Amino acid sequence: MNVLLIGSGGREHALAWKLAASPMLTKLYAAPGNPGIAHDAECVTLDIDDHAAVVAFCREKSIGLVVVGPEAPLVAGIADALQDAGISVFGPSAAAAQLEGSKGFTKDLCARHDIPTAAYERFNNAPKAKAYARRVGAPIVIKADGIAAGKGVTVAMTLDEALDAIDACFEGAFGAAGAEVVVEEFLEGEEASFFCLCDGTTALPFGTAQDHKRVGEGDTGPNTGGMGAYSPAPVMTPELVERTMKEIVEPTMRGMAEAGAPFSGVLYAGLMLTADGPKLIEYNVRFGDPECQVLMMRLKDDLLVLLEAAADGQLGHMSVRWRDEAALTVVMAADGYPGTPQKGTVISGVDAAAGEDIEIFHAGTAEREGELVANGGRVLNVTALGKTVGEAAARAYEAVDRIHWQEGFCRRDIGWRAIERERAGK
Ligand code: AMP
Ligand code: GLY
């Protein structure tokens, strides 16, 4: 089968690497791809926003499945356009992608179906939002309704911070994404990510992970897209997975089908493990980045077979097997990230740093006159397997140290929580 993969980050490199290992694959195309993805796929230039052009490309190249990596094309309806043209696609319709595209939509779904989540109200003006925040008091969480490049959430520890965040949203700090605001209860607990493959009816659990969002060691400093991740998440016991399926994922699948927007693709639940059990913080409608990288390292089964089954409504017949090892990925970022990252600096030693069960996924690289250069904030994902999270971390950091890149940095404590648990023997 010929496959088209849409996207250009580390998540897509990990997907390309795993798709390329499938005996079912004839040819893999990636649009636009990156220099790492180019090892596994033919990278092509395609305007992803031009759905007619994407459909025409798929017809010309006899594409049997389109795999969409990021959320933006999904929210823009690329899956609908492909489906209307009779082309199989892994990823939700625009209507179903509202689970990520509108926080208010998801909160209302939770309310209708008794899905545990933070108590909330939706607002379309500042005075009412502020009155509610004053009534509830700090700590409290303010969220722009739409997609705001990961920056639309303020966890306000004081009322002043909350009021400022409400003003920022309505004054346009997040553009159209902030025209509506969700104000919600502050949840306490440990966070974990839970993934399911979905085909509209069936949700198949597809692994757990934890990431590190802050740029600095000890989980300090500004938020990022994620500085590292590991899988499985030791806190997600089989009992918690079962509860999450029953209380959160399954009612979501039923609710979406009832709303006429059955969900297919990856459902990525961001969970808070509270004293009262797992609560939904948010949904994403795509794989996490860099969580996908650690999931792909551990996946034993053929990814193409699984994604095709999801696209074709056949997941009820499938199961998933994982390697016993833990996987961990360290993000190497360009100096300046998450502010303005320095671009164009030269990186060497990347291919030689990989090895048995060590993969270096490219996230933001480019090729310039035969040299590999940084071309984004998060640039490389150094990913390793190990018997424990601690061993995976040691192997990943050894590989990091084999890469030569003066103008790059990484956190040295990825996995600390899991490693502390392992040391304590819990
Ligand atoms: P998001 O951009 O939606 O992923 O949210 C960013 C981060 O804000 C989450 O990963 C949580 O750490 C935090 N967060 C979001 N909602 C809440 C909440 N209700 N209570 C506590 N923390 C939250
Ligand atoms: N790493 C978090 C995300 O992909 O949203």
Side-chain angles (χ1 to χ4, degrees), residues 330 353 358 382 391-403 412:
V330 176
I358 301 175
V382 182
E391 190 184 294
R395 299 186 72 227
Y397 282 114
E398 277 168 27
V400 165
D401 291 334
R402 290 196 287 270
I403 294 172
R412 287 276 162 183

Side-chain angles (χ1 to χ4, degrees), residues 200-338:
T201 314
T202 300
L204 186 63
F206 198 66
T208 61
Q210 282 177 297
D211 75 340
H212 295 268
K213 289 219 169 64
R214 304 298 193 94
V215 74
E217 271 150 37
D219 295 322
T220 55
N223 259 321
T224 71
M227 294 301 291
Y230 49 95
S231 172
V235 290
M236 281 297 285
T237 58
E239 294 72 36
L240 278 177
V241 168
E242 201 175 307
R243 251 185 105 171
T244 303
M245 285 302 290
K246 210 163 141 240
E247 296 174 15
I248 299 179
V249 174
E250 282 163 7
T252 298
M253 293 297 286
R254 285 195 297 273
M256 293 301 284
E258 271 171 33
F263 187 87
S264 72
V266 191
L267 188 63
Y268 159 4
L271 302 175
M272 190 70 88
L273 306 175
T274 73
D276 301 330
K279 293 195 177 180
L280 181 71
I281 300 176
E282 59 161 3
Y283 276 131
N284 295 300
V285 300
R286 35 99 191 156
F287 281 112
D289 187 347
E291 290 88 335
C292 183
Q293 290 81 316
V294 284
L295 292 178
M296 291 305 117
M297 290 293 278
R298 293 185 51 237
L299 179 63
K300 265 191 190 170
D301 290 301
D302 186 327
L303 180 67
L304 181 49
V305 170
L306 286 164
L307 300 190
E308 193 193 17
D312 294 348
Q314 298 296 320
L315 277 181
H317 309 291
M318 306 298 286
S319 59
V320 184
R321 291 167 307 159
W322 301 99
R323 292 182 57 160
D324 293 331
E325 292 96 329
L328 180 138
T329 189
V330 176
V331 171
M332 294 182 79
D335 285 348
Y337 180 74

Side-chain angles (χ1 to χ4, degrees), residues 103 118 141 143 150 153 155 184-187 191 213 272 281-282:
K103 296 197 191 310
V141 182
K143 301 185 171 182
V153 174
V155 179
E184 70 177 38
E185 170 198 12
F186 173 80
L187 296 176
E191 281 181 58
K213 289 219 169 64
M272 190 70 88
I281 300 176
E282 59 161 3

